Amino acid sequence: MKFGLKGKLAKKESRLEAIRDAHSVQGRTSHTYRMEDYLEVIYELIKEKGYASAVDISEYLNVSSPSVTKMMQRLDESGHLNYEKYRGIMLTDQGASVAKSMHERHNLLVEFLKMIGVKDEVANRDAEGIEHHLHPETLKKLEQFVKYWKKGKKANK
Amino acid sequence: MKFGLKGKLAKKESRLEAIRDAHSVQGRTSHTYRMEDYLEVIYELIKEKGYASAVDISEYLNVSSPSVTKMMQRLDESGHLNYEKYRGIMLTDQGASVAKSMHERHNLLVEFLKMIGVKDEVANRDAEGIEHHLHPETLKKLEQFVKYWKKGKKANK
DNA sequence: TATCAAAGTTAGCTTGGGCTAAACTAATAA
DNA sequence: TTATTAGTTTAGCCCAAGCTAACTTTGATA
Ligand SMILES: [Mn+2]
Ligand SMILES: [Mn+2]
Ligand SMILES: [Mn+2]
Ligand SMILES: [Mn+2]
């Protein structure tokens, strides 16, 4: 069909070129993957106990408490939370938004992985790694897919 | 049903506990994710041109050539390749095995992502990140799923 | 009110991975 | 054979993230 290509004239790249392109995507965001992990845990802790102490963060991320302190300082510096020495932390809007995003990605991934038969523990393990590497487009498509699969399991057409 | 649980008595963990478990999986392998990326590119280069020069590696990983040299030394040290100053490198069996594994994971992921409607470029980008975070069980389940889907699509036409 | 343990912080170190500038090698061209 | 130069390596730096040991703060209890 004459007008059917819809901009899909994307001259097929070699695998190496695809890899080059993938590795040349720079500075995506103003935070690291590790920051995302800390924010995620802080978010879950606040949801579950109302606050996030350093010992708890350190337990659930499996790091020492000095590492937690240092990261709190960085996250304060980057505007993801307000940190007051010895007193505690509070997520800023920016921090909460990143955290919530991680929570949702993790949810979606675990749901998908379990859907294709991966065991709970492994699903969570892999989700914890994968959650940081999803382009918004992928996220959207995966959401659609999971929704479709849940419904159409039999109505499948 | 009395005997239907098949060991699935896995007392449901809280999200935080799942995250703790995920983050407490240590020393998986004797190499880092970054090493996997280098090995993958080296593998593709050898497949395509017969050898892997530092300039090419540096181009496709988007890093400087001193960074390549340093990593070659590490990979030699860790037994993934044989490195001879100024002369070149050769993958060992260990290195080739890691490299091939990355190649296959990348393939599988791109296939899956395109399957759910993600565009080529984005699929490759995300695959490049995700490929390092797949448990063998996940890998197997994803393979099965993709195979099943390919068939079903045809059967379903 | 004074004490003390638990929680948090600081100091100082390590490691992986990155960079630029400068030095070196090896293959080719003259 | 020598000079040139592209490709490679070394030196020396940076940063994120981790750790242990030592110190400080806070809040509860005597
Ligand atoms: Mn997560
Ligand atoms: Mn994570
Ligand atoms: Mn890849
Ligand atoms: Mn990769």
Side-chain angles (χ1 to χ4, degrees):
Chain A
M1 184 237 274
K2 275 189 198 114
F3 305 107
L5 292 179
K6 279 201 287 189
K8 273 204 171 184
L9 305 170
K11 69 250 163 282
K12 196 163 181 66
E13 276 187 323
S14 82
R15 169 56 54 90
L16 272 168
E17 282 159 351
I19 292 178
R20 165 166 40 63
D21 295 350
H23 283 290
S24 70
V25 180
Q26 76 283 43
R28 313 179 310 124
T29 51
S30 58
H31 59 264
T32 64
Y33 298 145
R34 212 49 184 135
M35 285 172 162
E36 292 178 347
D37 280 331
Y38 277 85
L39 290 169
E40 185 188 10
V41 162
I42 290 166
Y43 174 84
E44 306 290 351
L45 279 168
I46 289 176
K47 238 182 32 178
E48 193 149 298
K49 337 182 27 173
Y51 61 94
S53 68
V55 269
D56 285 347
I57 299 170
S58 99
E59 178 188 349
Y60 291 109
L61 281 174
N62 218 46
V63 296
S64 70
S65 48
S67 297
V68 173
T69 298
K70 202 189 269 184
M71 186 57 98
M72 293 312 97
Q73 291 161 350
R74 282 193 205 116
L75 287 169
D76 179 281
E77 188 57 34
S78 63
H80 292 91
L81 48 78
N82 295 315
Y83 164 70
E84 270 179 287
K85 249 206 216 187
Y86 293 108
R87 308 259 77 180
I89 59 181
M90 235 190 44
L91 289 176
T92 61
D93 287 358
Q94 197 199 335
S97 142
V98 172
K100 205 174 282 191
S101 165
M102 297 319 297
H103 176 79
E104 282 160 12
R105 286 154 177 247
H106 188 117
N107 272 357
L108 177 64
L109 283 166
V110 168
E111 193 178 2
F112 166 72
L113 291 172
K114 284 162 83 173
M115 183 171 282
I116 64 170
V118 177
K119 278 207 298 297
D120 222 277
E121 198 201 313
V122 173
N124 273 286
R125 208 139 98 198
D126 287 5
E128 201 49 46
I130 298 172
E131 57 188 6
H132 313 284
H133 303 278
L134 302 176
H135 188 283
E137 186 192 331
T138 305
L139 209 52
K140 201 179 61 194
K141 289 295 160 72
L142 193 59
E143 264 160 18
Q144 288 169 2
F145 174 79
V146 167
K147 194 187 288 178
Y148 160 82
W149 186 262
K150 269 199 296 199
K151 265 189 203 144
K153 225 172 179 173
K154 52 179 178 179
N156 196 358
K157 62 159 255 185
Chain B
M1 186 235 274
K2 273 185 198 123
F3 303 109
L5 293 179
K6 280 202 288 190
K8 274 204 169 183
L9 304 169
K11 68 244 164 288
K12 196 164 180 68
E13 278 187 321
S14 80
R15 168 56 55 91
L16 272 168
E17 283 158 350
I19 292 179
R20 166 165 40 61
D21 294 350
H23 282 291
S24 69
V25 180
Q26 76 282 42
R28 312 180 309 123
T29 51
S30 59
H31 59 263
T32 64
Y33 299 143
R34 212 49 184 136
M35 285 172 164
E36 292 178 348
D37 279 333
Y38 276 85
L39 290 169
E40 185 188 10
V41 163
I42 289 166
Y43 174 83
E44 306 290 351
L45 279 169
I46 289 176
K47 238 183 32 179
E48 193 148 298
K49 336 184 25 175
Y51 62 92
S53 68
V55 269
D56 284 347
I57 298 171
S58 100
E59 178 187 349
Y60 291 109
L61 281 174
N62 219 45
V63 296
S64 70
S65 46
S67 297
V68 173
T69 297
K70 203 191 269 187
M71 185 57 97
M72 293 310 98
Q73 290 160 353
R74 283 193 204 118
L75 288 169
D76 179 281
E77 189 56 36
S78 64
H80 291 90
L81 49 78
N82 295 315
Y83 165 70
E84 270 179 286
K85 249 204 211 187
Y86 291 108
R87 308 259 74 173
I89 58 182
M90 236 190 44
L91 289 176
T92 61
D93 286 359
Q94 198 199 335
S97 144
V98 171
K100 206 175 280 190
S101 165
M102 297 320 296
H103 177 79
E104 281 159 12
R105 286 154 177 248
H106 189 118
N107 273 357
L108 177 64
L109 283 166
V110 168
E111 193 176 3
F112 166 72
L113 291 173
K114 283 162 83 173
M115 182 170 280
I116 65 172
V118 177
K119 278 205 299 297
D120 222 276
E121 196 201 313
V122 172
N124 273 286
R125 206 139 99 196
D126 287 5
E128 201 48 47
I130 298 172
E131 56 187 7
H132 313 284
H133 303 279
L134 302 175
H135 187 283
E137 186 191 332
T138 304
L139 209 51
K140 199 179 62 192
K141 290 296 160 71
L142 194 58
E143 264 161 20
Q144 287 168 4
F145 174 80
V146 166
K147 194 187 290 178
Y148 160 83
W149 187 262
K150 270 199 294 198
K151 242 181 236 161
K153 211 170 162 191
K154 219 187 307 178
N156 221 352
K157 255 264 159 151

